[in-house]
Amino acid sequence: MDQDVSSSWVQKKLLSGNPFIGAEFFDLYIRTFIRTLLAYDPDKLDKDPGILGRVAAYYGCVEAQGRGSLHCHMLVWLEGGLNPNEIRDRLVNGQDAEFTERLIRYLDDTIATRIPLSSEDHRLQSDKPHPCHLRHVRRLQGETDSSYSTRLSADLSRLAYKTQLHIHSHTCYKYWKGGSSPRTCRFELDQGNTRENTTVDTTTGELTLRQLDGLVNPYNPTILSALRCNMDIKFIGSGASAKAILYYITDYITKSQLKAHIAFGALDVAIKKIGVYKREECSIAERGKQLLNKCAYAMLSHQELSAQQVASFLMDYGDYYTSHRFKPLQWIHFEKFIDDQYHSNECY
């Protein structure tokens, strides 16, 4: 991150009443994160790896929260990284013990799942500014390694306590059916959900990461210290958990911003506006075209977009970040073409 920019000042800009300033600084933060922490630069092949390793590609999807502020969900591919099937094949039956050991060591070093210090220490510091409003800890001139390390650890501890520690609310149980069914947090965060070590099921190749504190969202200490906002980092490995994450990411990236009840309401308004069909005024084809246009305009006008989202599009920032160019795939037509060429009953 830019060391000359105060985090508290940037926070004020991001949350300012001017959506164009908020969109501009969000774009600056994301691009600085990619350039500095991920160290992605396709033009410099000899550049040192980033905090996660040498990055081969990335894709980030931008979304607005309820209050309008923007946040990003990003996929990062690492050079030399294996796909879930390849990882499973090397983990199953303990065929490659050296690979398994190196993978676990990398994950345990990259992903943290507990508050560095006791959370009791932070309840006594309520008079201090929120750590997200403060700049990251910088080494003072002439400061010893021990002093700098102590200040850095204390800052990370308080930052993790304020941003990564989960506190249950009514939204955690919005899918709870009541009655005798177990009342569990939908985010799968619970005080008793702890694991001391990362484990591998050699039968299925399932990789289960350690969870030292059941209420802490996984985070990377360096990224958390630099960005100073909550995060949730996950490894897409092998087994059922990898499939679940892939499904979630795909569903998230492709989901519509228009909620179903708003869409149906917009369609109802469009149908009422077009009125009763009169054969002498237009043909069936013209009537159908009018109806489609009315429906399209009504749905577009009912889109829920925050001011920051609108400003981001007007300033040509868009709603995603990617390292590669791609083209849309019309999946329905593609699927039909494949089925016509190579029909398989197993797919139906």
Side-chain angles (χ1 to χ4, degrees):
M1 306 302 293
D2 187 350
Q3 296 184 352
D4 296 326
V5 178
S6 168
S7 292
S8 59
W9 183 74
V10 172
Q11 284 285 339
K12 291 177 182 178
K13 291 294 185 183
L14 289 172
L15 299 177
S16 69
N18 190 328
F20 290 94
I21 294 178
E24 181 181 4
F25 273 84
F26 177 80
D27 181 72
L28 170 66
Y29 253 48
I30 296 297
R31 294 190 185 280
T32 305
F33 165 72
I34 293 169
R35 182 178 65 252
T36 306
L37 292 181
L38 295 185
Y40 178 81
D41 190 343
D43 297 327
K44 296 181 179 179
L45 301 179
D46 58 342
K47 187 175 182 178
D48 291 337
I51 194 64
L52 301 178
R54 198 175 297 278
V55 175
Y58 63 84
Y59 181 89
C61 179
V62 179
E63 187 188 46
Q65 294 173 325
R67 60 180 180 177
S69 59
L70 304 177
H71 64 278
C72 186
H73 297 254
M74 183 171 288
L75 272 172
V76 178
W77 288 265
L78 301 180
E79 272 191 22
L82 306 179
N83 65 48
N85 287 334
E86 293 172 326
I87 294 176
R88 180 199 60 202
D89 292 341
R90 298 187 71 168
L91 295 179
V92 74
N93 298 326
Q95 295 179 8
D96 196 334
E98 181 185 357
F99 169 79
T100 302
E101 181 183 350
R102 286 190 291 115
L103 179 60
I104 292 176
R105 190 165 61 245
Y106 166 78
L107 294 174
D108 287 347
D109 183 61
T110 303
I111 302 175
T113 55
R114 69 175 173 185
I115 309 298
L117 298 177
S118 172
S119 60
E120 294 292 334
D121 300 334
H122 305 283
R123 296 194 177 97
L124 304 176
Q125 303 177 5
S126 58
D127 59 322
K128 292 188 176 182
H130 196 288
C132 291
H133 296 165
L134 303 174
R135 68 171 60 190
H136 60 278
V137 175
R138 294 191 290 180
R139 189 163 190 160
L140 303 176
Q141 187 174 6
E143 186 176 21
T144 64
D145 292 344
S146 176
S147 174
Y148 174 65
S149 178
T150 300
R151 291 196 305 115
L152 195 63
S153 297
D155 176 71
L156 175 63
S157 176
R158 190 159 182 268
L159 191 59
Y161 175 75
K162 290 291 188 179
T163 62
Q164 299 303 121
L165 187 64
H166 179 74
I167 299 175
H168 293 306
S169 66
H170 68 279
T171 60
C172 295
Y173 311 107
K174 72 175 186 178
Y175 298 134
W176 180 50
K177 298 179 180 179
S180 59
S181 60
R183 191 168 183 264
T184 57
C185 175
R186 67 189 179 98
F187 302 109
E188 299 182 357
L189 291 168
D190 185 85
Q191 187 64 52
N193 184 23
T194 61
R195 293 177 295 277
E196 284 294 323
N197 300 296
T198 300
T199 60
V200 176
D201 187 332
T202 56
T203 304
T204 62
E206 178 84 16
L207 186 69
T208 305
L209 300 185
R210 70 179 181 182
Q211 183 71 39
L212 300 178
D213 189 325
L215 290 175
V216 172
N217 277 308
Y219 66 95
N220 177 271
T222 304
I223 295 177
L224 182 63
S225 294
L227 297 187
R228 311 193 74 76
C229 61
N230 66 298
M231 64 177 297
D232 187 1
I233 185 171
K234 295 186 182 297
F235 169 70
I236 301 181
S238 60
S241 59
K243 293 179 182 178
I245 295 174
L246 286 172
Y247 174 82
Y248 170 79
I249 292 171
T250 304
D251 182 61
Y252 199 95
I253 291 175
T254 58
K255 75 176 183 179
S256 172
Q257 295 289 340
L258 188 63
K259 295 180 174 60
H261 68 280
I262 297 176
F264 287 126
L267 292 176
D268 182 58
V269 170
I271 292 173
K272 288 179 180 178
K273 280 186 176 181
I274 200 170
V276 180
Y277 171 58
K278 297 179 180 180
R279 183 175 302 188
E280 63 275 10
E281 293 182 357
C282 62
S283 65
I284 288 292
E286 291 173 340
R287 175 71 173 189
K289 185 177 180 180
Q290 291 175 2
L291 180 59
L292 286 175
N293 286 336
K294 285 284 186 182
C295 290
Y297 294 148
M299 292 178 72
L300 288 173
S301 65
H302 284 71
Q303 282 274 21
E304 291 183 338
L305 297 175
S306 70
Q308 289 90 332
Q309 283 178 295
V310 175
S312 182
F313 277 103
L314 290 176
M315 298 172 75
D316 203 27
Y317 295 145
D319 59 354
Y320 67 89
Y321 294 87
T322 180
S323 56
H324 291 65
R325 297 180 63 183
F326 61 90
K327 293 184 178 180
L329 174 64
Q330 302 297 331
W331 177 254
I332 301 299
H333 300 293
F334 175 75
E335 186 180 35
K336 183 179 183 305
F337 172 78
I338 295 297
D339 183 59
D340 291 342
Q341 300 295 318
Y342 309 99
H343 179 73
S344 174
N345 292 326
E346 296 176 356
C347 297
Y348 296 90

